Amino acid sequence: MAESPSVPALAVLPVRPEDADRLGALTVDAYLAAGILEEDDGYVPVLRDVAGRLDSTIVLAAYRGPRVVGGITLAAPGGPHAEIAQEGEIELRMLAVDPAHQGAGVAEALVRASAEAAAELGHDAVVLSTMEAMPAALRLYARLGFDRVADRDWIGDWDEAAVAAGTAPLMSVYRLPVR
């Protein structure tokens, strides 16, 4: 989506509480559209519950005018939404862009704003987990300078049957120094 006089500029801000439900729905829609999960997946309620994580994380939203077009969650180490963050790091979680706005720089703006926020909060780096099933995200992280930290990779353990069958996805860890 190219910038034009009729398309408002993109702004990344802390999500407005009144936009939490919209961002939650958008996040679920983006994950479903990408084929990352099914509607009956147990992760759907977690993705949808933006309001429920506002007190323990930072949630940034991308706005085009008044409309929420994407979002990302920043989780501190030891917090209820952090899976891999270590001391001095903040973890990027639940990156999502409205499918109608993908390819327009929204994800990049969210990741850049997250890195800036992490630096402002005194963190040394941002980290995230991703899968091979997310090639656009992998290209973005490479372009932004994230490094793979293979010794921190982990097996997605949310599906016990997949773990038992040896088919659970490998979660690849990436890290970007921010100061």
Side-chain angles (χ1 to χ4, degrees), residues 28-175:
V28 170
D29 290 347
Y31 277 59
L32 291 172
I36 296 168
L37 49 76
E38 303 288 328
E39 286 193 44
D40 63 349
D41 192 294
Y43 195 42
V44 166
V46 175
L47 292 172
R48 192 178 304 282
D49 189 19
V50 172
R53 61 180 172 270
L54 289 176
D55 63 343
S56 60
T57 66
I58 297 168
V59 179
L60 299 179
Y63 290 91
R64 280 212 186 274
R67 183 175 177 166
V68 177
V69 297
I72 193 166
T73 296
L74 288 70
H81 295 282
E83 295 175 323
I84 60 165
Q86 298 176 353
E87 190 66 34
E89 299 174 336
I90 200 158
E91 186 170 342
L92 307 185
R93 300 281 320 273
M94 305 173 202
L95 173 61
V97 176
D98 181 328
H101 292 266
Q102 291 177 0
V106 177
E108 181 170 344
L110 285 162
V111 173
R112 287 184 184 279
S114 298
E116 290 170 12
E120 289 171 7
L121 292 168
H123 294 280
D124 298 320
V126 294
V127 293
L128 57 86
S129 299
T130 191
M131 301 181 287
E132 287 184 22
M134 301 175 172
L138 289 167
R139 288 189 302 273
L140 170 65
Y141 305 142
R143 189 171 64 250
L144 294 178
F146 280 79
D147 292 315
R148 173 88 182 271
V149 188
D151 63 335
R152 290 174 63 184
D153 288 355
W154 55 287
I155 301 297
D157 59 0
W158 51 86
D159 181 343
E160 292 178 18
V163 172
T167 59
L170 174 67
M171 302 302 296
S172 301
V173 175
Y174 287 82
R175 186 174 194 274

